C-alpha cells in the first residue's frame, strides 16, 4: 500500500536534521556551526513542549486513533523518540568532538574543572563564594512535597551521603532509610553561562561554564555530606495550553493563567548530563517519564550556552562575512513615501534590504499632521520595538491608532500583554485577537487627508512586524497605494475589529474563509488548462505543507500532467515522485544563514500568470484556524522581481536538499561542470549591485526659488 502522507512530526525532525547538516558542514564558519547546533536544541525544546505533549495527551484520550500516515499515538511516540535520539546524539557528538576542538584551535579554549590550573582553581573558588553561592537554593527531595521543577529551567542534582562519624544538625536531614538523599539546585538564570578564566597563554582565551563551577564547588552547599553523584538536567513540560476563549473581559487574566500552567504541567522530556545512575531513575519516577523520554548528553548540555563566543574578537572572525542590508533604491531615504507610492508599488525584501522603511513608514505617519489614523496587526514584535514607540507617539499626537495584538502568539504571550497595556495607556484602541482564531495576518494601513480626498496607504507582509527577526528571517512585503487593495484592507480591519460580516474582497484572500478554496481553485485551474492543451505549472515556496485537502489537489494536478515545484523549508507531508500519484512533483528545501520565511505562490494560468504572497503556509492551522491574508502582485515591475526571486530558490545546489519518495532528504550538489549556486548569496549580490549602481548615479537636486 502506497504512502500518501508522511507523518507530520517525523517530517519536522527531518527538518532539524537538515539544520544539523549545516552544523556538520565544515565549510560553514565555526560560530555559525555552533549557532545551527543551538537552533537544533531550541527547536527540539519547543517540539517536545508542544507537539510531543499533544501526542501524549492524545495517547491517553484515544490510543487507537491513527493519523493520516497510519500511525497510532504510541507508534508516533516510539518513532519520534528513535529518530530524535539519533539527531540529538549526532548533535552532541558534533559539538564535543568537532566544534569545541575547532574553537580551541582558534584560540577560544573550553577548560573543564578537572583541567583548571591552580590559578584558575583559586579564581573560580573565589567567584563561587562571592557571586554564585549566595544565589543558590538547595532543595530537598525526601519531603512530603516534591520540589517544583520549572519548565525548561536548568537544575543541578546532587546525591548526598552523610559523612561517617558526623551527625547532622537535625534528624530531619537524615531522610528516610530507603529514600536517596538527593538535593536539587536551580541554576540562576541571571548569570552568564560562560565564565572567562585567567590564562597564562597569550594566544588563548580560556573559559569554563557556570555549570562546571557549580558542579565543582556545589559540595559546599551540604556541609557534613559527601557528594556521590552529580547531574545537570532540565525538564520540558506540556506547553500546548489553550486559553479559555469565553473569558470575555478577563481574557488577559486567562492568558496569564496559561503562562503559569506551563511551569507546572506534566513532564514530557528530560535532558540531562550522562552522570547520575541513582539520580536519573529517581527523577524519572518522580516525573513519570520513561527511557524513551530521556535524552543524555556526554559533555555540554546546551550548545546555546556557548553563543556568547560570537561576541569575542575571535568569534567575529569565525562568523559569516558581513552582509550589509541595503536601503531600497525605489524609496526616498529622507522624505515620506506618500508621493512615491502614488506612482508605483514597492517591494521590500528583508534582510537583504533594510527593515528601516517599515519603521520609517509608521514613524512618518505618527508625525504627519495630515495622517488621521493608523491600523495594524501585531503578532510577534520583539523587545524595545520602534514600531510600538511610533504607534504610542501617534496616539499621543491625536491620531486614531487601532492595533490588533494577538495575545495567543505562543511563547510571546507575556511580551504581547505588556505591549497591549502600553498602547492602551498611550490612547490606542487595542483589540485582543478574535475568539477561537489566531490573527496571523501582517497588515498595516495609514489613512491620510490629502488635497483631493482621503487616501489610504497599505503595507502587507509575509513576516512579522519585528525589526530584530527582520535581520535574520527572509521575508517579502509590499508598500502600495492601490485603492482596490486599500478597499480590501478596510474591509479586513472592519471585520476583525467590529461586527462587519465578511464582504467580498477583490484582491485579498482571507483564511479561514476564502483562502483555502481560492488556492484549491487555482490548482484546479491549472488542471483544466493542462487538459485544454497548455501544460499547467505551480511553483510555491512556504515554511510547511501539511494540509490534506491541498496536498490531495496537488496530487490530482500531478496526475493530470501539471508540473509542480515546491520549496518547503520545514515540514512536508506530501510524498513526491510516486508514479500515478505525484510523479510530476519535486520538493526541495533550503537551510542557510537566513531563515527562509516568505510564502510565494505562482500559477501559470495558461499564459496569464498570477503571483501571490501570503502570511500563511498550506497547513490546517493557517488555512482553517487562523486569520491570514494572501495578496496578489499586481505591479508588473514587482511581479518580475518576485518571480525572479522565486526562480532563484530552485537553482540552489549548495544549501538545498531534495525530498525522496522514501522520506529521505538528499543534499544537492552541482552537476558536472556546473558552477556552485547558493540562492541567498545570489540574492545578496543582486541587491548589492543595485545599491552600488544607485550610489554612482548622480543625484539631481531641484532648487525652489522663493520670495524673500
Amino acid at each position: 500500500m502506497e504512502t500518501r502522507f508522511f507523518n507530520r512530526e517525523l517530517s519536522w525532525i527531518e527538518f532539524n536534521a537538515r539544520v544539523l547538516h549545516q552544523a556538520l558542514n565544515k565549510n560553514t564558519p565555526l560560530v555559525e556551526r555552533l549557532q545551527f547546533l543551538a537552533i537544533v536544541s531550541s527547536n527540539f525544546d519547543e517540539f517536545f513542549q508542544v507537539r510531543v505533549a499533544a501526542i501524549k495527551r492524545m495517547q491517553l484520550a484515544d490510543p487507537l486513533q491513527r493519523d493520516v500516515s497510519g500511525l497510532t499515538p504510541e507508534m508516533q511516540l516510539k518513532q519520534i523518540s528513535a529518530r530524535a535520539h539519533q539527531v540529538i546524539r549526532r548533535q552532541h557528538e558534533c559539538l564535543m568532538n568537532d566544534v569545541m576542538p575547532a574553537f580551541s584551535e582558534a584560540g577560544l579554549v573550553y577548560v573543564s574543572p578537572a583541567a583548571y590550573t591552580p590559578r584558575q582553581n583559586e579564581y573560580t573558588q573565589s567567584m563561587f563564594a562571592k557571586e554564585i553561592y549566595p544565589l543558590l537554593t538547595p532543595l530537598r527531595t525526601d519531603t512530603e512535597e516534591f520540589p517544583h521543577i520549572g519548565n525548561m529551567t536548568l537544575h543541578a542534582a546532587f546525591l548526598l551521603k552523610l559523612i561517617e562519624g558526623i551527625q547532622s544538625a537535625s534528624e530531619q536531614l537524615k531522610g528516610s532509610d530507603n529514600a536517596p538523599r538527593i538535593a536539587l539546585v536551580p541554576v540562576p538564570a541571571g548569570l552568564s553561562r560562560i565564565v572567562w578564566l585567567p590564562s597564562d597563554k597569550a594566544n588563548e582565551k580560556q573559559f569554563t561554564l557556570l555549570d562546571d563551577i557549580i558542579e565543582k564547588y556545589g559540595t559546599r552547599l551540604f556541609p557534613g555530606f559527601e557528594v556521590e553523584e552529580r547531574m545537570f538536567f532540565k525538564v520540558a513540560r506540556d506547553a500546548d495550553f489553550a486559553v479559555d476563549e469565553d473569558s470575555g473581559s478577563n481574557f488577559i487574566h486567562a492568558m496569564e493563567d496559561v503562562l503559569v500552567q506551563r511551569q507546572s504541567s506534566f513532564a514530557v522530556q528530560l535532558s540531562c548530563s550522562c552522570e547520575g545512575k541513582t539520580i536519573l531513575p529517581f527523577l524519572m519516577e518522580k516525573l513519570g517519564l520513561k527511557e524513551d523520554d530521556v535524552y543524555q548528553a556526554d559533555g555540554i548540555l546546551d550548545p546555546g550556552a556557548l553563543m556568547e563566543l560570537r561576541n569575542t574578537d575571535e568569534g567575529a572572525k569565525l562568523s559569516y562575512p558581513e552582509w550589509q542590508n541595503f536601503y531600497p533604491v525605489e524609496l526616498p531615504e529622507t522624505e515620506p513615501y506618500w508621493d512615491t507610492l502614488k506612482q508605483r508599488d514597492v517591494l521590500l525584501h528583508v534582510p537583504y534590504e533594510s527593515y528601516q522603511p517599515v519603521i520609517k513608514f509608521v514613524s512618518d505617519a505618527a508625525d504627519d499632521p495630515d495622517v488621521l489614523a493608523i491600523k495594524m496587526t501585531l503578532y510577534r514584535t520583539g523587545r524595545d520595538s520602534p514600531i510600538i514607540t511610533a504607534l504610542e507617539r501617534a496616539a499621543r499626537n491625536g491620531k486614531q491608532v487601532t492595533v490588533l495584538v494577538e495575545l495567543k502568539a505562543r511563547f510571546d504571550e507575556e511580551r504581547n500583554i505588556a505591549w497591549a497595556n502600553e498602547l492602551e495607556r498611550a490612547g490606542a484602541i487595542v483589540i485582543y485577537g478574535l475568539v477561537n482564531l489566531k490573527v496571523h495576518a501582517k497588515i498595516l494601513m495609514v489613512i491620510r487627508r490629502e488635497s483631493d480626498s482621503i487616501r489610504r496607504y497599505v503595507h502587507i507582509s509575509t513576516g512579522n512586524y519585528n525589526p530584530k527577526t527582520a535581520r535574520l528571517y527572509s521575508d517579502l512585503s509590499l508598500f502600495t497605494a492601490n485603492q482596490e487593495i486599500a478597499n480590501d484592507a478596510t474591509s479586513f480591519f472592519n471585520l476583525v475589529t467590529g461586527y462587519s460580516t465578511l464582504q467580498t474582497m477583490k484582491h485579498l484572500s482571507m483564511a479561514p474563509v476564502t483562502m483555502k478554496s481560492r488556492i484549491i481553485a487555482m490548482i484546479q485551474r491549472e488542471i483544466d488548462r493542462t487538459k485544454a492543451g497548455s501544460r499547467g505549472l505551480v511553483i510555491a515556496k512556504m515554511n510547511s505543507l501539511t494540509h490534506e485537502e491541498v496536498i490531495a489537489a496537488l496530487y490530482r494536478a500531478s496526475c493530470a500532467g501539471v508540473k509542480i515545484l515546491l520549496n518547503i523549508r520545514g515540514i512536508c507531508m506530501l510524498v513526491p515522485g510516486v508514479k500515478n500519484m505525484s510523479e510530476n512533483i519535486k520538493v526541495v528545501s533550503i537551510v542557510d544563514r537566513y531563515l527562509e520565511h516568505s510564502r510565494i505562490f505562482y500559477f501559470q494560468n495558461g499564459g496569464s500568470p498570477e503571483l501571490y504572497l501570503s502570511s500563511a503556509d498550506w497547513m490546517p492551522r493557517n488555512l482553517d484556524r487562523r486569520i491570514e491574508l494572501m495578496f496578489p502582485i499586481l505591479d508588473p515591475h514587482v511581479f518580475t522581481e518576485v518571480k525572479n526571486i522565486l526562480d532563484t530558490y530552485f537553482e540552489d545546489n549548495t544549501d538545498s536538499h531534495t525530498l525522496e519518495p522514501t522520506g529521505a532528504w538528499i543534499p544537492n550538489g552541482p552537476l558536472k561542470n556546473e558552477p556552485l549556486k547558493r540562492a541567498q548569496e545570489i540574492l545578496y549580490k543582486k541587491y548589492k549591485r543595485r545599491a552600488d549602481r544607485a550610489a554612482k548615479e548622480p543625484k539631481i537636486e531641484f532648487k525652489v526659488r522663493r520670495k524673500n
Side-chain angles (χ1 to χ4, degrees):
M1 179 178 175
E2 68 182 21
T3 300
R4 286 183 59 83
F5 299 96
F6 292 128
N7 175 265
R8 183 194 193 283
E9 319 311 339
L10 296 175
S11 180
W12 182 92
I13 294 176
E14 294 311 314
F15 161 60
N16 281 276
R18 298 195 295 282
V19 176
L20 178 59
H21 179 82
Q22 294 297 96
L24 297 170
N25 184 354
K26 295 183 185 295
N27 292 322
T28 303
L30 186 58
V31 166
E32 310 304 338
R33 296 179 68 190
L34 177 62
Q35 176 75 73
F36 282 118
L37 292 174
I39 290 171
V40 171
S41 290
S42 175
N43 286 351
F44 269 112
D45 286 346
E46 183 172 340
F47 177 68
F48 283 107
Q49 291 176 79
V50 178
R51 301 302 308 180
V52 175
I55 297 172
K56 288 195 172 221
R57 279 189 275 104
M58 188 189 307
Q59 185 181 30
L60 294 174
D62 191 356
L64 299 181
Q65 179 181 345
R66 293 179 182 266
D67 75 333
V68 292
S69 70
L71 300 180
T72 64
E74 182 179 1
M75 294 163 68
Q76 289 187 69
L77 291 172
K78 280 289 183 186
Q79 293 189 34
I80 287 169
S81 176
R83 184 62 176 132
H85 273 93
Q86 289 177 346
V87 173
I88 292 173
R89 187 180 308 115
R90 187 72 186 93
Q91 174 204 21
H92 283 286
E93 289 172 354
C94 176
L95 176 66
M96 300 309 299
N97 301 336
D98 188 353
V99 169
M100 294 309 294
F103 270 114
S104 293
E105 291 178 12
L108 294 170
V109 181
Y110 167 67
V111 182
S112 67
Y116 290 169
T117 64
R119 184 181 172 200
Q120 290 169 346
N121 270 320
E122 182 180 349
Y123 177 82
T124 54
Q125 184 174 342
S126 174
M127 181 182 184
F128 178 83
K130 295 177 181 178
E131 301 180 29
I132 301 174
Y133 179 85
L135 298 175
L136 300 181
T137 305
L139 305 171
R140 294 179 56 187
T141 61
D142 58 356
T143 56
E144 187 173 335
E145 281 290 324
F146 189 74
H148 171 66
I149 299 174
N151 185 37
M152 305 310 302
T153 302
L154 184 66
H155 283 72
F158 297 89
L159 175 64
L160 306 176
K161 178 184 178 183
L162 193 63
I163 296 175
E164 191 172 343
I166 296 180
Q167 294 295 320
S168 64
S170 168
E171 286 299 313
Q172 291 182 347
L173 289 177
K174 293 170 62 178
S176 67
D177 293 335
N178 297 323
R181 290 187 180 90
I182 294 175
L184 307 183
V185 181
V187 175
L191 297 179
S192 172
R193 294 284 296 284
I194 284 185
V195 176
W196 295 101
L197 298 172
S199 173
D200 297 327
K201 299 181 180 179
N203 61 339
E204 286 186 359
K205 287 185 177 178
Q206 297 186 345
F207 67 93
T208 192
L209 293 182
L210 175 65
D211 320 11
D212 297 322
I213 297 176
I214 292 174
E215 176 185 333
K216 183 174 179 65
Y217 302 110
T219 54
R220 301 184 182 190
L221 293 165
F222 315 106
F225 289 86
E226 294 178 346
V227 174
E228 295 187 308
E229 285 181 11
R230 301 168 176 84
M231 191 179 84
F232 282 84
F233 71 94
K234 64 179 181 180
V235 176
R237 295 185 178 275
D238 174 23
D240 191 32
F241 289 105
V243 67
D244 179 7
E245 297 279 2
D246 297 321
S247 48
S249 60
N250 292 319
F251 182 75
I252 289 184
H253 295 304
M255 197 73 249
E256 290 169 338
D257 289 343
V258 165
L259 303 181
V260 173
Q261 289 177 58
R262 281 185 188 156
Q263 295 301 317
S264 57
S265 55
F266 72 84
V268 178
Q269 179 233 21
L270 176 71
S271 301
C272 62
S273 55
C274 281
E275 300 176 70
K277 293 180 181 178
T278 300
I279 296 173
L280 179 56
F282 174 79
L283 289 175
M284 289 170 60
E285 178 187 356
K286 293 293 184 182
L287 295 169
L289 296 174
K290 301 176 182 178
E291 284 189 20
D292 282 352
D293 304 318
V294 176
Y295 293 75
Q296 292 183 274
D298 187 6
I300 298 170
L301 189 60
D302 179 11
L306 302 170
M307 285 313 301
E308 187 182 327
L309 297 178
R310 180 189 288 277
N311 301 327
T312 63
D313 292 339
E314 293 80 3
K317 298 173 185 176
L318 300 171
S319 302
Y320 283 126
E322 182 182 0
W323 280 2
Q324 181 183 356
N325 51 35
F326 306 100
Y327 201 90
V329 297
E330 295 90 349
L331 291 173
E333 292 192 43
T334 55
E335 298 298 317
Y337 302 151
W338 320 128
D339 291 340
T340 300
L341 298 182
K342 288 174 195 171
Q343 300 173 46
R344 62 184 180 275
D345 293 351
V346 176
L347 182 76
L348 182 68
H349 192 182
V350 296
Y352 309 102
E353 293 182 299
S354 167
Y355 196 71
Q356 187 59 33
V358 179
I359 299 171
K360 176 174 164 51
F361 186 60
V362 183
S363 186
D364 285 347
D367 298 328
D368 189 327
D370 292 324
V371 167
L372 304 175
I374 302 171
K375 301 183 180 185
M376 75 179 301
T377 59
L378 285 177
Y379 189 71
R380 300 186 193 275
T381 57
R383 294 183 177 88
D384 305 320
S385 171
I387 290 176
I388 297 290
T389 302
L391 291 172
E392 292 175 356
R393 191 169 71 252
R396 294 190 180 103
N397 285 343
K399 305 180 191 310
Q400 185 188 78
V401 176
T402 305
V403 184
L404 196 154
V405 179
E406 182 48 79
L407 297 186
K408 301 190 291 289
R410 184 179 283 122
F411 302 119
D412 274 345
E413 299 96 339
E414 190 170 4
R415 188 180 305 161
N416 284 5
I417 289 171
W419 289 141
N421 290 333
E422 275 192 36
L423 287 165
E424 283 192 324
R425 285 194 294 270
I429 301 168
V430 178
I431 310 296
Y432 297 107
L434 298 180
V435 175
N436 296 320
L437 293 170
K438 278 187 180 180
V439 179
H440 194 248
K442 296 89 169 58
I443 187 168
L444 160 64
M445 182 167 66
V446 174
I447 299 96
R448 188 171 185 264
R449 181 193 293 112
E450 300 187 353
S451 58
D452 54 345
S453 65
I454 299 294
R455 185 176 285 270
R456 293 160 296 178
Y457 299 87
V458 176
H459 176 264
I460 187 167
S461 177
T462 67
N464 297 313
Y465 287 106
N466 188 326
K468 292 185 178 179
T469 58
R471 295 196 294 265
L472 305 170
Y473 292 12
S474 174
D475 271 303
L476 292 164
S477 63
L478 186 74
F479 293 96
T480 182
N482 182 301
Q483 290 306 291
E484 291 181 342
I485 288 182
N487 288 338
D488 287 354
T490 300
S491 297
F492 170 80
F493 280 111
N494 288 345
L495 176 68
V496 298
T497 64
Y499 288 104
S500 171
T501 57
L502 181 66
Q503 302 173 25
T504 301
M505 296 184 188
K506 184 170 183 179
H507 294 298
L508 301 186
S509 298
M510 189 181 87
V513 184
T514 60
M515 191 187 300
K516 180 177 68 177
S517 59
R518 175 71 176 145
I519 290 167
I520 292 175
M522 289 190 290
I523 295 172
Q524 182 61 46
R525 188 178 61 188
E526 295 302 308
I527 295 174
D528 297 339
R529 295 283 190 268
T530 300
K531 290 179 178 178
S534 175
R535 189 180 185 191
L537 173 64
V538 177
I539 310 176
K541 176 184 180 296
M542 67 198 80
N543 297 336
S544 294
L545 172 59
T546 64
H547 202 293
E548 296 171 42
E549 292 177 65
V550 177
I551 292 173
L554 293 171
Y555 286 158
R556 290 194 300 272
S558 174
C559 291
V562 178
K563 183 179 180 182
I564 300 166
L565 300 175
L566 302 174
N567 191 300
I568 314 293
R569 186 196 79 210
I571 305 165
C572 181
M573 288 172 56
L574 178 147
V575 182
V578 177
K579 190 173 182 180
N580 298 324
M581 184 178 80
S582 58
E583 57 194 293
N584 290 309
I585 303 177
K586 180 179 180 180
V587 181
V588 298
S589 176
I590 290 177
V591 178
D592 200 350
R593 68 183 288 171
Y594 297 142
L595 182 80
E596 289 298 338
H597 195 251
S598 57
R599 292 90 165 183
I600 313 171
F601 313 138
Y602 173 88
F603 301 90
Q604 189 156 272
N605 190 26
S608 299
E610 294 179 358
L611 188 59
Y612 297 85
L613 301 179
S614 180
S615 61
D617 295 311
W618 291 352
M619 303 178 73
R621 73 181 186 190
N622 297 98
L623 300 183
D624 299 332
R625 301 191 297 274
R626 287 183 175 181
I627 300 291
E628 305 270 12
L629 287 173
M630 179 174 73
F631 54 102
I633 301 301
L634 303 175
D635 184 293
H637 171 76
V638 177
F639 189 104
T640 301
E641 178 85 1
V642 175
K643 180 58 165 56
N644 288 339
I645 291 169
L646 181 60
D647 290 341
T648 300
Y649 283 115
F650 290 89
E651 298 173 3
D652 192 293
N653 59 19
T654 60
D655 292 277
S656 65
H657 288 67
T658 297
L659 179 60
E660 296 290 302
T662 60
W665 289 86
I666 307 302
N668 292 321
L671 301 174
K672 187 176 181 180
N673 299 323
E674 182 185 27
L676 291 173
K677 295 179 182 179
R678 180 184 173 200
Q680 292 190 358
E681 185 175 34
I682 291 170
L683 292 169
Y684 167 73
K685 288 181 176 179
K686 179 186 78 171
Y687 289 103
K688 185 177 187 305
R689 287 193 301 270
R690 183 180 296 177
D692 290 345
R693 282 197 304 269
K696 293 176 183 177
E697 293 175 357
K699 290 184 171 53
I700 301 174
E701 184 176 345
F702 296 94
K703 294 186 178 180
V704 178
R705 182 178 290 113
R706 300 183 186 279
K707 183 178 179 180
N708 291 331

